[in-house]
Amino acid sequence: MRSRSNSGVRLDYYQRIVHRLILAHQEPVTGLFPASNINSHAWIRDNVYCILAVWGLSMAYKKIADQDEDRAKCYELEQSCVKLMRGLLMAMMNQKDKVEKFKMTQSPYDSLHAKYSSKNGLPVVGDNEWGHLQIDAVSLYLLILAQMTASGLQIVFSLDEVSFIQNLVFYIESAYSIPDYGIWERGDKTNHGEPELNASSIGMAKAALEAMNELDLFGARGGPASVIHVLADEAHKCQAVLQSMLPRESNSKELDSGLLCVIGFPAFAVDDAQLILNTKDAILSRLQGKYGCKRFLRDGYRTPKEDPSRLYYERWELRMFENIECEWPLFFCYLILFHAFQNDKRSVQEFADKLEKIMVRSEDGTLLIPESYAVPQDLVGAEYQKPGSQIREVVGRCPFLWGQSLFILGRLLQEGFLAVGELDPLNRRLGAQKKPDVVVQVVIIAEDTEIRDKLAEHDLHVQTIAEVAPIEVQPARVLSHLYTYLGRNRKLGLSGRKSRDVGILSTSKLYSLKDRIFAFTPQFVDLSRFYIASDNELMIDILKGEINFLKSAWDLLGRPLVTLVLKRIHLDQDKIPLAMIQTMRKLKSGYINGTRVMLGNLKDFLNTSAITDLSFLGSTEDGYPDRLHPDVQTYLDEHLLRSFSNRSTMNLRGGQLRPRHLRRRMSCKGAIKKTRSINVDSDNLGMEGPSPLTERRLSSVVPPPWLQASKQGHVSVFATTPEEGPTSPPQLGGELVARENMYPVDPLHSRSAIERRSEFVRQQEMPKILIQRHRADTNFADTEVEELIAMLRETENLEEQGDILQYLVDTQGLDFNTAGLGLKHKTDDNAAELDLDDVMLELTTAGGGGGGGGVVGASDGANKSSVPAVIIDATTPTASNVVKDKDNANLAAIVAVIAKANNPNTNNNAATSAVAAPAAAAAGSSINNSLNNNDSSQSEGMLEEGRVVTVRDLLKGLYEKACQQKLWGLVRHTAGMLGKRVEDLGKAVTDLLVRQKQVTVGMPPNNEHTITAPLPEVELRQLIHDAYGDDESTAMLTQELMVYLAMFIRTEPQLFHEMLRLRVGLIIQVMAKELSRTLNCGGEAASEHLLNLSPFEMKNLLYHILSGKEFAVSSVARGNLSIVSCKSSRVSKKSQIGLGDPEGEDALIATIDDRQGQWLRRRRLDGALNRVPRDFYSRVWTVLEKCQGLAIEGRVLQQSLTQEMTPGELKFALEVETALNQIPQPEYRQLVVEALMVLTLVTEHNMVPSLGGIIYVEHLVHKANQLFLEDQRKVQGDATLCCAKLKDGKEQQQAASGMLLCGGAAYICQHLYDSAPSGSYGTMTYMSRAVALVLDCVPKHGEKECAIS
């Protein structure tokens, strides 16, 4: 036999082992590995891990291949890898329909199977008979496929297979929001079949997405068609969620050894070196044993206490598995690889020695890795007593191929046959190394020359869209549309990418398509999206955030490039807003918020930017890869024409206000305000009684009595209730008998038309009550609506228009046709052809006649356009009278409305005037104007371009105009009425949920809905809508705040530490309360101010509340408020709204006052934000272990929870949180948290063996309050003015009715809320004394050391 070098001999030894232990089991037909000799199922995950040793060995042979037979061995090993990877690919391609379906449903039943038959690659269990949804398995397959392809293996053969793999990328790209069954196939650890979000799955998906990006599956021989594309933002979302979860694995598993494959080989998914270390140390300290690591805490699998006859565990029995979980040698193999990649030889040796001790020797002396080690049945008791002391026995398969394969890889690395770089040809292991600073390139382009010249005045030189040619600038939605063509395949029935979202990482690249180059503007500037986009300051703020985000998240070749187009619509009164100029100057300086930036022209950045080829848009399937897909061609041609063409903007020409002798009383005034539900005044936030929704707007449920039509067919307009029958109506100027009505009444004229109206509507709207109505009712109804439309036309004040439209929507519904009114009666052709002036004349005469009759109209002045008036004879209000004038008046009114609406020349356009309102706008007529600017002839009726004008259309016009004029309160309200929803709402909620924050909407305690899992947009909007009832403004604000919370959690996750649930309703209340405190105004005014804040200021205020920073409010033009941070203590003490500095004594009092409320405010904020001290939940767990239960506000946390859950488990924290959330008042909730902290100190210092029975936490707080008041009486403190007063009868009565003099919540004195926690009069001192008094188990006398930290 020819001589052989030592290394060759040693390799031959490994080749024999690999052949005997691994390759001998490979099925010859499919190439798959069965689970064992008796089980022919092949798991994707285990198969991929098994083949890694074969791949490693083939590369070791490749290096020493000096002889033909070595080359042959190398080739043979490589082909085994290819055979297995293709076997799995075929098995998955058989389920291509599932991949297509899963993109839409993301349902566990539509997922690819986790295991197949090793004999023929077909499914072996049904869709719902197994936890198939295991994203980590598919991800691991893609990751290793990428690594093997990069090492030179050819695994994928055809373009159809390429499209399939591209669709597998779509399958895993939303891993960050898809709960799955995870690496151990069980989901929730009770094994009840509940999938959950697993960090190990998300990490593996992130690694696969990054490895696959821009990878050519045909290796060096491929072309553009075989390249896989990944949207960088999806991988980044996975990374962000992963980093927020580690070292936690999921809700039920606070730690899992499976994370070793995410922080080290094969995924290397974490970029933060410190986080990698923390995770590894946590696993070693809590899960490592003599025989390997436990998979996770309380893992019952194969323990002697497990009942093998059933699949799931009872929740209470998990405690039995503590300390006797099986230990798996597999994890020592992972740790050896982990340290080998870190080049830490000492640790590698340490774990290799540990592993050596626990391996099993076969008859021929081969070292085998067993699956796991369990405590023998008879030693369980001793192991409970002293964990880790007993000898364990092997259970499960031996050799365990997954572990064996990793062990062999480790040996090849240790003996120097392989370098770490060969196992990681894509260099993923370098991810955690420090990268150089990213420079963000910014290009600003002007929409036209006019804007360019305006910028040049400020010494900012930019190009116009026309000048940047041949580079084309497009909005982000074009890119998202183009991406839907990626991965389409007719033969396989695959439809391409589903998600419509493209993030900032994708739009910060340039794209080449044949010989064209595209730049895309970011998604957040797309104006068609949502009203937030029309707030320039907010857009600038978001831009700064995104630039900052690019600095940390960018990891592609080249520099990121942000392209912005400055348009007409961004101008403020024809000037470029100051905020924009300032930002551009900052960009020009080269630094903005600590990020390096370069401002320049597009062509300068061509060589330094990342460029992606959009080659997948060719018609490859039709055999013309060089031609664009015909659909794409037409889309681009159409789109290039209209993408940045000027949208016709509304014409708001200034004019003068009409002089008025009499300002008309608004009969709809306050219609919007009635819908508000933010509650600030009651000092106990959230305590608005059992059914705030029904009380809030009775008008929409019960018609007031005087609105009802009388039985005999008479229509009583005045103060007549049905019982009294018709009385003769008082003359004009007669006093009206005022009954409780919901709308303001003008005592000089008839009751406002509104009141009559609503009865008829109610009757139409209540399906259960069928009322036979007379003709007269209908007529009145119509007349009244016409009057409203006339008013709408006449008023210049957008707020008033809003009130009228709110009223119309309440009564008529959104789709009410404002045209069809009079036309349903016999029409008079002549009337339709009348000239405008005649119409006006006729209307005026119609209004003037009828001596003694009261003019029933919605307007007071003898104004030319007070149309149409109906005269009722003073003596007999019969129906026929009404009908006579009806037809003409009705028709005329409509013609007039249209004539005004469609012929802008007849408008009296209004100017912005301080008299009418903070910002009055053009008359209602220009609403229609905004919808289409064509002057149709008068006689056309309310049909615009043959289309009916509904209330909805009028609202849309009002919404757009309010956006332009920045009347944010009105914008929010109309957006809510139109049912708009934030495009990114679903995404925002998902962003919060996947970072383990639950969200609740609605006002506590009765209407709070908790969102615990991602929902589709429509359901979310419905849920929010239901939570706030009719209050559209607050529902809209809730959506807006969720988007801001999501922005903050992406950019500043530290704001959210120690917060589990975000209760948006409470946050809104606290925001209003803070405004009322800062502005020194009442609750209603504060909620008005809140709803009128611009989106930017709203985000700012939310930030100050989350971060707990002091803020002041300064007033800006147009009555908009602006929130400013206070650095200096002097400013922070008082609001800055138009008061100037308070002088002298006042100033002194002001500062004292403010200091006085600060602990109350701190507690209120922390309570509303659900902040708790560090490690609070795990410490409550220790308290719960020592007593039978904790009662909070009627909810009892049972001791049995400690049997079900471990201290650090998220599910336990949520249980505690749910109990605390029963408390509606935030400051009271914080005292309860403090009381619980005192209890934890008692248990942690082991003062007593047990705390006894159920502890009522509120008793402790109330006891502390009593002690506090006693002390206050002794020292004559502040509380003697309210709660510590010596009580007399009246005080007793007040206390009984639930009102404290000082307004403290839940019968606790306001002054206790306002005490600091520490100090001799601090709350913690009183709590400790209360614990000593209330709990029987604490010794009553004798010395006890008691230090409160």
Side-chain angles (χ1 to χ4, degrees):
M1 185 181 168
R2 59 189 164 65
S3 70
R4 188 119 167 79
S5 64
N6 286 340
S7 60
V9 174
R10 189 74 182 142
L11 266 187
D12 288 345
Y13 163 71
Y14 280 121
Q15 195 250 338
R16 283 197 297 281
I17 288 184
V18 164
H19 197 273
R20 195 164 60 241
L21 294 183
I22 297 177
L23 290 176
H25 298 293
Q26 190 170 18
E27 280 287 343
V29 180
T30 57
L32 303 179
F33 293 104
S36 65
N37 301 333
I38 46 176
N39 180 353
S40 68
H41 297 180
W43 270 263
I44 297 179
R45 187 183 305 99
D46 299 52
N47 271 259
V48 173
Y49 276 121
C50 286
I51 208 69
L52 286 181
V54 183
W55 177 49
L57 191 61
S58 77
M59 289 190 289
Y61 265 116
K62 198 186 270 180
K63 275 204 292 199
I64 64 150
D66 49 346
Q67 294 158 4
D68 288 348
E69 78 188 60
D70 289 342
R71 288 198 198 95
K73 276 179 189 152
C74 166
Y75 184 70
E76 182 191 324
L77 292 166
E78 285 181 348
Q79 291 312 101
S80 297
C81 298
V82 174
K83 175 96 179 164
L84 173 106
M85 295 299 277
R86 287 193 61 75
L88 287 172
L89 180 61
M90 293 309 109
M92 289 191 277
M93 282 183 80
N94 281 334
Q95 296 197 310
K96 56 185 182 297
D97 309 343
K98 286 186 166 300
V99 175
E100 180 59 32
K101 228 163 140 190
F102 186 81
K103 283 191 295 192
M104 299 298 288
T105 63
Q106 296 186 348
S107 143
Y109 300 137
D110 293 330
S111 67
L112 284 171
H113 282 197
K115 57 178 186 175
Y116 300 96
S117 157
S118 60
K119 299 272 189 287
N120 53 19
L122 296 176
V124 282
V125 288
D127 291 349
N128 46 9
E129 292 163 26
W130 196 261
H132 283 301
L133 179 50
Q134 295 167 32
I135 290 181
D136 73 304
V138 179
S139 303
L140 175 73
Y141 175 80
L142 289 175
L143 170 66
I144 301 301
L145 173 70
Q147 293 277 27
M148 284 181 171
T149 304
S151 77
L153 297 186
Q154 171 94 39
I155 295 168
V156 175
F157 292 174
S158 72
L159 285 178
D160 292 324
E161 288 170 12
V162 174
S163 340
F164 180 74
I165 285 172
Q166 178 68 66
N167 277 277
L168 284 186
V169 167
F170 301 147
Y171 179 90
I172 64 166
E173 75 178 355
S174 331
Y176 63 91
S177 62
I178 302 178
D180 70 339
Y181 293 101
I183 186 169
W184 310 124
E185 305 196 290
R186 54 179 42 196
D188 186 303
K189 69 177 170 198
T190 51
N191 212 14
H192 279 257
E194 294 282 317
E196 49 181 11
L197 218 50
N198 290 296
S200 52
S201 295
I202 297 171
M204 200 52 89
K206 181 231 176 201
L209 290 169
E210 289 180 345
M212 274 290 168
N213 193 16
E214 304 296 314
L215 177 84
D216 192 329
L217 288 177
F218 291 174
R221 303 191 194 80
S226 52
V227 175
I228 294 293
H229 299 270
V230 178
L231 272 81
D233 299 272
E234 303 295 333
H236 189 269
K237 281 180 202 156
C238 290
Q239 173 183 325
V241 174
L242 176 68
Q243 295 198 336
S244 75
M245 286 178 81
L246 290 178
R248 181 191 302 286
E249 159 73 352
S250 70
N251 281 4
S252 71
K253 299 188 273 288
E254 56 176 289
L255 197 58
D256 192 314
S257 298
L259 290 170
L260 287 171
C261 65
V262 169
I263 59 173
F265 179 82
F268 302 108
V270 186
D271 297 351
D272 175 350
Q274 192 53 50
L275 191 56
I276 294 176
L277 239 93
N278 296 351
T279 307
K280 185 201 65 158
D281 293 345
I283 290 172
L284 291 185
S285 62
R286 301 193 56 191
L287 299 173
Q288 184 188 352
K290 259 190 291 195
Y291 295 90
C293 297
K294 302 165 173 158
R295 299 191 306 178
F296 48 87
L297 297 173
R298 299 189 177 178
D299 168 20
Y301 183 57
R302 294 223 174 102
T303 53
K305 289 271 185 194
E306 183 185 44
D307 173 1
S309 64
R310 58 194 160 96
L311 204 61
Y312 60 92
Y313 307 127
E314 297 300 345
R315 301 192 181 277
W316 48 267
E317 69 179 338
L318 288 173
R319 187 68 184 263
M320 305 189 306
F321 304 134
E322 201 160 309
N323 298 326
I324 61 161
E325 304 99 332
C326 291
E327 292 175 359
W328 296 57
L330 161 72
F331 297 114
F332 282 166
C333 303
Y334 272 117
L335 284 160
I336 290 172
L337 290 170
F338 178 84
H339 291 294
F341 273 91
Q342 302 230 324
N343 204 9
D344 174 356
K345 295 207 167 62
R346 228 189 71 246
S347 305
V348 169
Q349 201 46 54
E350 178 195 334
F351 283 108
D353 296 343
K354 284 185 179 171
L355 190 57
E356 195 104 358
K357 291 190 192 120
I358 55 176
M359 290 175 77
V360 178
R361 277 193 187 279
S362 65
E363 295 99 56
D364 56 3
T366 319
L367 287 173
L368 305 179
I369 299 256
E371 187 166 4
S372 57
Y373 279 94
V375 182
Q377 183 74 50
D378 48 340
L379 301 177
V380 169
E383 180 76 14
Y384 275 143
Q385 238 100 62
K386 192 170 174 221
S389 58
Q390 303 305 307
I391 296 172
R392 293 180 173 233
E393 60 191 13
V394 172
V395 292
R397 295 166 281 183
C398 183
F400 180 45
L401 293 189
W402 175 353
Q404 195 75 35
S405 174
L406 293 180
F407 169 68
I408 292 168
L409 274 188
R411 291 305 281 265
L412 290 172
L413 285 172
Q414 282 161 280
E415 295 183 24
F417 290 118
L418 278 178
V420 286
E422 289 172 288
L423 279 180
D424 178 27
L426 291 169
N427 293 331
R428 293 202 48 74
R429 64 192 181 288
L430 308 177
Q433 293 180 0
K434 195 145 173 40
K435 304 182 189 65
D437 269 355
V438 173
V439 179
V440 181
Q441 306 170 143
V442 183
V443 174
I444 292 171
I445 298 173
E447 186 177 37
D448 52 31
T449 47
E450 191 184 331
I451 291 178
R452 182 192 63 189
D453 302 341
K454 282 191 172 137
L455 280 172
E457 289 166 22
H458 297 277
D459 196 31
L460 296 160
H461 301 286
V462 302
Q463 293 180 308
T464 62
I465 293 185
E467 290 167 346
V468 296
I471 303 173
E472 301 171 45
V473 182
Q474 294 287 346
R477 55 177 185 272
V478 176
L479 181 61
S480 83
H481 182 81
L482 293 180
Y483 263 119
T484 57
Y485 290 91
L486 180 56
R488 288 195 186 181
N489 187 304
R490 286 199 296 271
K491 276 195 273 183
L492 290 171
L494 297 170
S495 66
R497 186 169 185 264
K498 278 290 175 290
S499 163
R500 310 288 303 176
D501 192 50
V502 283
I504 185 81
L505 292 173
S506 304
T507 53
S508 300
K509 299 193 282 194
L510 291 173
Y511 289 84
S512 63
L513 179 58
K514 305 293 167 262
D515 45 2
R516 300 154 77 170
I517 293 183
F518 288 98
F520 293 99
T521 57
Q523 189 162 290
F524 70 84
V525 296
D526 197 344
L527 264 174
S528 62
R529 293 166 71 76
F530 189 56
Y531 64 78
I532 296 180
S534 48
D535 181 5
N536 294 328
E537 285 188 47
L538 183 69
M539 298 322 283
I540 291 170
D541 190 56
I542 295 177
L543 170 69
K544 289 178 186 164
E546 298 284 326
I547 288 178
N548 219 350
F549 170 76
L550 283 171
K551 171 178 138 185
S552 57
W554 185 260
D555 52 1
L556 306 167
L557 287 172
R559 291 174 172 175
L561 171 73
V562 181
T563 314
L564 299 165
V565 177
L566 193 59
K567 306 187 193 175
R568 273 266 164 72
I569 203 156
H570 294 139
L571 300 184
D572 192 9
Q573 292 160 357
D574 225 28
K575 286 202 283 294
I576 292 168
L578 186 63
M580 286 194 173
I581 299 291
Q582 288 168 338
T583 310
M584 288 182 207
R585 293 213 168 115
K586 262 195 200 152
L587 289 169
K588 206 172 161 184
S589 73
Y591 271 92
I592 187 161
N593 295 11
T595 307
R596 284 189 58 200
V597 288
M598 276 179 75
L599 189 63
N601 286 339
L602 261 180
K603 58 175 187 304
D604 309 341
F605 294 143
L606 275 180
N607 302 329
T608 48
S609 303
I611 298 193
T612 299
D613 187 16
L614 295 173
S615 51
F616 58 84
L617 295 173
S619 347
T620 320
E621 284 198 271
D622 302 327
Y624 298 109
D626 303 333
R627 264 192 227 164
L628 272 188
H629 192 293
D631 301 355
V632 180
Q633 189 65 58
T634 42
Y635 176 76
L636 282 176
D637 294 346
E638 261 176 44
H639 212 88
L640 295 185
L641 295 176
R642 62 188 167 79
S643 62
F644 281 116
S645 61
N646 285 338
R647 276 192 23 227
S648 51
T649 46
M650 308 154 196
N651 65 348
L652 289 173
R653 294 192 305 270
Q656 285 308 304
L657 256 176
R658 282 176 278 195
R660 280 257 171 98
H661 305 298
L662 279 162
R663 286 282 299 153
R664 177 177 22 73
R665 280 294 296 260
M666 259 299 293
S667 52
C668 294
K669 195 163 171 45
I672 290 185
K673 217 170 232 170
K674 285 194 173 52
T675 64
R676 303 272 199 256
S677 66
I678 302 176
N679 168 24
V680 186
D681 288 336
S682 69
D683 252 306
N684 335 347
L685 280 190
M687 291 296 283
E688 63 241 39
S691 54
L693 285 186
T694 45
E695 291 161 17
R696 195 171 61 241
R697 227 169 83 206
L698 275 177
S699 67
S700 60
V701 192
V702 185
W706 34 260
L707 280 181
Q708 312 209 349
S710 57
K711 317 279 182 296
Q712 304 92 332
H714 299 309
V715 180
S716 67
V717 181
F718 299 107
T720 318
T721 52
E723 295 78 56
E724 297 164 354
T727 53
S728 101
Q731 300 304 305
L732 218 65
E735 286 302 301
L736 291 177
V737 189
R739 291 204 165 72
E740 314 86 310
N741 57 335
M742 325 265 161
Y743 292 100
V745 171
D746 183 345
L748 294 173
H749 295 279
S750 69
R751 262 180 207 281
S752 65
I754 301 272
E755 293 154 4
R756 295 195 315 278
R757 173 73 206 115
S758 58
E759 161 59 359
F760 307 122
V761 177
R762 294 301 158 241
Q763 295 179 352
Q764 289 159 11
E765 278 180 359
M766 295 179 177
K768 296 189 195 69
I769 316 169
L770 285 169
I771 301 182
Q772 275 280 297
R773 275 169 303 125
H774 295 282
R775 173 73 170 264
D777 310 11
T778 338
N779 298 347
F780 256 139
D782 295 336
T783 316
E784 201 258 357
V785 172
E786 288 162 19
E787 291 167 2
L788 282 183
I789 288 176
M791 283 162 55
L792 183 64
R793 203 175 71 235
E794 204 178 285
T795 173
E796 296 83 15
N797 178 341
L798 289 191
E799 304 280 344
E800 287 186 13
Q801 297 183 7
D803 280 334
I804 297 175
L805 286 172
Q806 165 70 43
Y807 181 73
L808 281 174
V809 170
D810 280 352
T811 55
Q812 303 289 2
L814 276 174
D815 297 314
F816 174 66
N817 173 359
T818 51
L821 290 174
L823 305 178
K824 59 178 171 272
H825 302 294
K826 164 179 105 285
T827 46
D828 178 348
D829 295 337
N830 308 344
E833 287 159 15
L834 283 174
D835 191 84
L836 184 68
D837 297 324
D838 298 353
V839 172
M840 279 306 183
L841 200 75
E842 184 180 330
L843 288 174
T844 326
T845 47
V855 176
V856 184
S859 49
D860 330 334
N863 208 310
K864 179 171 165 199
S865 51
S866 62
V867 294
V870 178
I871 290 90
I872 299 181
D873 197 286
T875 46
T876 51
T878 55
S880 57
N881 272 13
V882 183
V883 182
K884 272 188 290 197
D885 299 11
K886 182 73 183 162
D887 304 347
N888 292 346
N890 256 342
L891 192 60
I894 284 156
V895 175
V897 172
I898 308 310
K900 279 209 98 153
N902 286 336
N903 192 349
N905 313 329
T906 60
N907 282 354
N908 297 339
N909 279 310
T912 311
S913 120
V915 190
S925 53
S926 62
I927 288 188
N928 286 344
N929 226 3
S930 67
L931 288 165
N932 75 318
N933 295 328
N934 69 329
D935 300 354
S936 51
S937 65
Q938 280 90 308
S939 60
E940 234 178 42
M942 265 279 204
L943 299 172
E944 292 205 357
E945 297 173 346
R947 205 167 49 84
V948 169
V949 180
T950 57
V951 176
R952 185 189 305 267
D953 298 330
L954 297 176
L955 260 179
K956 276 187 189 147
L958 180 63
Y959 165 76
E960 290 185 14
K961 218 170 339 162
C963 273
Q964 269 192 339
Q965 297 193 14
K966 313 271 186 268
L967 296 175
W968 296 111
L970 194 55
V971 168
R972 288 193 174 94
H973 191 80
T974 46
M977 286 166 67
L978 285 166
K980 285 189 176 297
R981 59 171 187 271
V982 194
E983 259 88 346
D984 302 342
L985 183 63
K987 222 172 66 189
V989 172
T990 305
D991 274 333
L992 295 165
L993 291 173
V994 294
R995 289 173 175 78
Q996 297 87 59
K997 309 286 176 222
Q998 294 192 342
V999 186
T1000 71
V1001 295
M1003 301 292 175
N1006 307 308
N1007 293 308
E1008 221 178 359
H1009 300 286
T1010 307
I1011 304 170
T1012 52
L1015 294 171
E1017 302 256 340
V1018 187
E1019 282 179 41
L1020 262 175
R1021 181 163 188 327
Q1022 196 49 49
L1023 182 81
I1024 293 173
H1025 195 81
D1026 296 346
Y1028 295 103
D1030 292 330
D1031 187 356
E1032 298 290 1
S1033 316
T1034 314
M1036 225 46 230
L1037 181 57
T1038 299
Q1039 297 191 34
E1040 202 180 310
L1041 289 180
M1042 283 170 155
V1043 173
Y1044 302 152
L1045 286 168
M1047 283 179 194
F1048 289 138
I1049 206 166
R1050 285 196 291 263
T1051 52
E1052 305 189 48
Q1054 71 280 359
L1055 289 177
F1056 295 83
H1057 282 330
E1058 316 305 330
M1059 287 158 62
L1060 266 185
R1061 271 209 181 120
L1062 302 169
R1063 302 167 73 183
V1064 184
L1066 261 188
I1067 291 176
I1068 292 177
Q1069 286 188 355
V1070 167
M1071 285 166 94
K1073 202 137 197 176
E1074 283 290 280
L1075 277 184
S1076 89
R1077 183 184 65 90
T1078 330
L1079 296 176
N1080 225 342
C1081 62
E1084 179 145 321
S1087 56
E1088 269 309 299
H1089 282 309
L1090 178 67
L1091 287 165
N1092 276 304
L1093 284 181
S1094 76
F1096 171 70
E1097 299 303 347
M1098 188 69 76
K1099 179 171 181 240
N1100 217 342
L1101 177 61
L1102 177 64
Y1103 179 78
H1104 281 91
I1105 279 177
L1106 281 177
S1107 57
K1109 289 193 178 123
E1110 283 285 338
F1111 67 91
V1113 178
S1114 64
S1115 182
V1116 188
R1118 293 204 210 137
N1120 287 343
L1121 305 179
S1122 142
I1123 311 288
V1124 282
S1125 295
C1126 305
K1127 297 283 187 296
S1128 74
S1129 54
R1130 195 177 59 82
V1131 183
S1132 74
K1133 292 306 170 209
K1134 212 69 195 143
S1135 95
Q1136 303 172 332
I1137 285 209
L1139 300 171
D1141 275 351
E1143 301 297 328
E1145 284 176 29
D1146 296 350
L1148 198 74
I1149 297 167
T1151 45
I1152 296 170
D1153 266 5
D1154 223 72
R1155 199 171 47 234
Q1156 214 174 355
Q1158 85 185 41
W1159 277 106
L1160 169 63
R1161 171 173 178 259
R1162 189 65 267 162
R1163 286 197 171 95
R1164 193 172 275 157
L1165 285 184
D1166 283 345
L1169 293 169
N1170 285 8
R1171 272 222 179 88
V1172 292
R1174 290 201 49 184
D1175 302 328
F1176 171 72
Y1177 301 108
S1178 51
R1179 292 163 87 170
V1180 171
W1181 192 92
T1182 54
V1183 173
L1184 206 48
E1185 237 186 345
K1186 294 202 169 180
C1187 66
Q1188 282 170 19
L1190 291 168
I1192 302 172
E1193 191 84 8
R1195 281 288 284 256
V1196 180
L1197 294 169
Q1198 298 288 357
Q1199 188 184 14
S1200 62
L1201 286 177
T1202 57
Q1203 308 286 328
E1204 293 174 31
M1205 304 170 192
T1206 54
E1209 201 172 302
L1210 200 62
K1211 278 176 24 187
F1212 177 72
L1214 287 170
E1215 288 284 341
V1216 180
E1217 188 62 43
T1218 307
L1220 286 171
N1221 278 1
Q1222 299 295 310
I1223 305 173
Q1225 310 94 328
E1227 54 269 55
Y1228 183 43
R1229 171 201 154 101
Q1230 269 328 80
L1231 282 186
V1232 171
V1233 168
E1234 286 172 41
L1236 284 168
M1237 285 309 283
V1238 172
L1239 286 174
T1240 63
L1241 294 173
V1242 173
T1243 53
E1244 280 165 24
H1245 294 114
N1246 280 332
M1247 292 184 177
V1248 283
S1250 150
L1251 296 175
I1254 290 182
I1255 300 173
Y1256 291 90
V1257 187
E1258 284 118 304
H1259 289 190
L1260 299 175
V1261 181
H1262 284 282
K1263 188 70 186 167
N1265 187 39
Q1266 255 173 318
L1267 297 166
F1268 168 75
L1269 294 179
E1270 280 163 24
D1271 279 5
Q1272 285 282 308
R1273 286 192 193 103
K1274 282 180 203 149
V1275 298
Q1276 286 297 305
D1278 289 346
T1280 45
L1281 297 175
C1282 53
C1283 306
K1285 250 191 198 164
L1286 296 167
K1287 298 221 160 112
D1288 54 29
K1290 195 168 112 208
E1291 311 278 295
Q1292 299 269 267
Q1293 197 179 348
Q1294 259 188 326
S1297 67
M1299 273 303 293
L1300 293 185
L1301 275 179
C1302 57
Y1307 301 107
I1308 305 285
C1309 179
Q1310 193 86 335
H1311 294 284
L1312 179 62
Y1313 285 127
D1314 206 17
S1315 313
S1318 53
S1320 53
Y1321 292 105
T1323 52
M1324 293 301 252
T1325 316
Y1326 291 114
M1327 295 286 182
S1328 314
R1329 283 168 57 192
V1331 167
L1333 289 170
V1334 173
L1335 294 188
D1336 311 330
C1337 54
V1338 181
K1340 290 282 179 280
H1341 27 163
E1343 289 295 308
K1344 198 78 178 161
E1345 180 64 33
C1346 180
I1348 293 206
S1349 57

